[in-house]
Amino acid sequence: MRALTWQGTEKVSVETVPDPTIQEPTDAVVRITSTAICGSDLHLYRVLGPYIDKGDVLGHEPMGIVEAVGSAVTNLKVGDRVVVPFNISCGHCYMCQRGLQSQCETTQVTEYGSGAALFGYTKMYGQVPGGQAEYLRVPHADYGPIVIPDDGTPDDRWLFLSDILPTAWQAVQYADVPEGGTLAVLGLGPVGQFAARIGKHLGYRVLAVDPEAVRRDLGAKYDVETFNLSDDVVAQLVDRTDGRGPDAVVDAVGMEAHGNPLAGFAQSAAGLLPDKLAQKAIETAGVDRLAAVHAAIDMVRRGGTVSLSGVYGGMADPMPMMTLFDKQITVREGQCNVRRWIDDIMPLVSDPSDPLGTLDLTSHRVSLEDAPHMYEVFQKKQDDCVKVVLDPAMAAAAA
């Protein structure tokens, strides 16, 4: 089959690799019909290379048609249309039973002290071949895949259940906004877009910050009050909230945030070291750009909540503990527990009126073969790129 593989820092290519097969009774094999590029894939593209081997298959936002199932899989049948959550969880362990599927004790990567295994996401998370491919082996298919209607609705209606929609939902739930309160969202990339829309759906006032006009315009379609990234943006949002600040802030940016050139240098330098040294640097040093999380802490009102959905990777990042303590700020974060939120989200995704705008997020739908070019476009925010979906059945664009 054809699959998108990691070849080096800022270098990916589509290669022919072995077809996946049933290896365990709880496996399934899915033929991929749509698979997205996630903002966190860009961390692999540039920063987390020390944890990837050349030829690893990337991607963790897939959906498709079940082609084969193992003998222990009774909840799926060949021909089912499914979305595959990005975290691989068993559904029956202590953590899964408590809605913490991202901490699944069956698939935890104990070698690295990490949580549940993820598709297409480094040795730290199991080095499981990912879904930017024609086919995908799905472990624990007796629990993970979400069966969706095979009714001719576009894949984009359902695809984002794999990651970014439940990630945004969890971020807003963790933000704990009071009824009728104000939510600020930092970053209007795909997760930020959904977080802002979810906030509006739940009846909150939503303020959002992004440096890209196309993303601000997309947010404004959903009555989100948008702000350009500027030196005084914290003061602007505080001023718009009676001088107190928003009740809660979702940081949907993470370690790709603008600012802090020293951290940017550290990220680049770590990626150039031999793998073992680079891993040590990432695991013991502060390599994140913290502009977004510091802005969130500065702008949230006293007694408010900061919810982190953006990915951070440094182990020694400086945090303003005095401010956190003095302002009595609650901070919540963590990998999304996809399965926990599906029952809450499914009625909205199934609604023909599309209240969360699942059908207007994708800016680029291209073939799998065009993936290397689109990684670069997405990273550099070129061509008004918001969200890229890869279609393995689509012909590649002419060179």
Side-chain angles (χ1 to χ4, degrees), residues 355-378:
L356 300 182
T358 58
L359 295 177
D360 79 352
L361 189 73
T362 301
S363 57
H364 295 71
R365 174 175 278 275
V366 301
S367 78
L368 178 63
E369 300 291 335
D370 292 323
H373 172 63
M374 292 312 303
Y375 262 74
E376 181 178 1
V377 169
F378 190 30

Side-chain angles (χ1 to χ4, degrees), residues 5-157:
T5 64
W6 189 87
Q7 297 295 326
T9 302
E10 297 188 346
K11 184 179 180 182
V12 295
S13 65
V14 178
E15 306 291 340
T16 299
V17 302
D19 290 347
T21 60
I22 300 293
Q23 299 178 24
E24 300 290 341
T26 52
D27 285 353
V29 173
V30 174
R31 173 173 56 83
I32 302 303
T33 58
S34 291
T35 180
I37 299 176
C38 181
S40 57
D41 286 329
L42 300 182
H43 305 150
L44 310 182
Y45 190 58
R46 182 174 184 184
V47 181
L48 297 178
Y51 294 93
I52 314 174
D53 289 333
K54 185 175 181 179
D56 280 0
V57 179
L58 305 183
H60 59 269
E61 296 185 356
M63 65 174 288
I65 306 298
V66 175
E67 294 281 303
V69 295
S71 59
V73 178
T74 60
N75 55 311
L76 301 177
K77 64 182 184 300
V78 172
D80 279 347
R81 189 185 188 198
V82 296
V83 174
V84 182
F86 76 97
N87 38 32
I88 303 170
S89 50
C90 71
H92 56 74
C93 71
Y94 178 93
M95 291 295 178
C96 287
Q97 288 295 302
R98 286 157 179 78
L100 294 169
Q101 292 90 345
S102 68
Q103 310 303 322
C104 174
E105 291 181 326
T106 302
T107 72
Q108 277 180 14
V109 186
T110 55
E111 178 184 357
Y112 287 93
S114 302
L118 311 178
F119 287 104
Y121 215 81
T122 80
K123 297 173 185 176
M124 287 189 292
Y125 290 100
Q127 207 169 22
V128 181
Q132 289 170 2
E134 292 182 306
Y135 294 91
L136 175 69
R137 170 182 167 253
V138 181
H140 295 285
D142 54 333
Y143 175 68
I146 304 157
V147 179
I148 58 171
D150 189 10
D151 57 1
T153 49
D155 278 7
D156 286 6
R157 169 68 65 84

Side-chain angles (χ1 to χ4, degrees), residues 60-375:
H60 59 269
E61 296 185 356
M63 65 174 288
I65 306 298
V66 175
E67 294 281 303
V69 295
S71 59
V73 178
T74 60
N75 55 311
L76 301 177
K77 64 182 184 300
V78 172
D80 279 347
R81 189 185 188 198
V82 296
V83 174
V84 182
F86 76 97
N87 38 32
I88 303 170
S89 50
C90 71
H92 56 74
C93 71
Y94 178 93
M95 291 295 178
C96 287
Q97 288 295 302
R98 286 157 179 78
L100 294 169
Q101 292 90 345
S102 68
Q103 310 303 322
C104 174
E105 291 181 326
T106 302
T107 72
Q108 277 180 14
V109 186
T110 55
E111 178 184 357
Y112 287 93
S114 302
L118 311 178
F119 287 104
Y121 215 81
T122 80
K123 297 173 185 176
M124 287 189 292
Y125 290 100
Q127 207 169 22
V128 181
Q132 289 170 2
E134 292 182 306
Y135 294 91
L136 175 69
R137 170 182 167 253
V138 181
H140 295 285
D142 54 333
Y143 175 68
I146 304 157
V147 179
I148 58 171
D150 189 10
D151 57 1
T153 49
D155 278 7
D156 286 6
R157 169 68 65 84
W158 315 100
L159 175 61
F160 306 125
L161 290 169
S162 60
D163 178 357
I164 59 173
L165 187 48
T167 292
W169 188 271
Q170 177 173 293
V172 175
Q173 294 300 314
Y174 280 9
D176 195 25
V177 185
E179 184 175 353
T182 301
L183 172 69
V185 177
L186 302 184
L188 281 171
V191 171
Q193 291 287 340
F194 277 139
R197 298 173 191 187
I198 290 164
K200 291 297 295 185
H201 173 76
L202 295 175
Y204 309 142
R205 180 189 180 194
V206 180
L207 316 176
V209 179
D210 197 280
E212 301 295 322
V214 65
R215 298 183 179 198
R216 295 196 302 273
D217 290 345
L218 189 55
K221 284 180 57 178
Y222 292 83
D223 296 324
V224 173
E225 300 172 51
T226 62
F227 299 80
N228 195 1
L229 181 64
S230 62
D231 291 341
D232 68 342
V233 71
V234 170
Q236 290 184 56
L237 269 66
V238 169
D239 184 63
R240 296 290 185 96
T241 50
D242 299 322
R244 296 187 186 91
D247 297 297
V249 181
V250 168
D251 170 6
V253 179
M255 65 180 174
E256 292 295 324
H258 294 278
N260 195 343
L262 290 179
F265 173 78
Q267 289 178 351
S268 298
L272 296 174
L273 294 170
D275 283 358
K276 290 298 182 183
L277 293 177
Q279 289 177 14
K280 190 69 173 178
I282 291 171
E283 292 166 11
T284 61
V287 298
D288 291 316
R289 304 179 184 189
L290 297 173
V293 69
H294 280 227
I297 291 166
D298 288 344
M299 73 172 59
V300 72
R301 69 161 168 81
R302 291 178 178 273
T305 301
V306 172
S307 174
L308 305 180
S309 66
V311 175
Y312 288 96
M315 285 294 286
D317 293 325
M319 289 290 284
M321 295 306 298
M322 184 173 72
T323 300
L324 287 168
F325 183 85
D326 177 66
K327 291 183 69 175
Q328 202 169 333
I329 294 169
T330 299
V331 180
R332 293 200 70 181
E333 69 290 304
Q335 203 76 263
C336 179
N337 306 296
V338 174
R339 266 297 193 170
R340 175 177 180 176
W341 307 111
I342 293 302
D343 289 347
D344 295 335
I345 302 170
M346 189 62 79
L348 300 175
V349 177
S350 302
D351 186 338
S353 70
D354 193 22
L356 300 182
T358 58
L359 295 177
D360 79 352
L361 189 73
T362 301
S363 57
H364 295 71
R365 174 175 278 275
V366 301
S367 78
L368 178 63
E369 300 291 335
D370 292 323
H373 172 63
M374 292 312 303
Y375 262 74

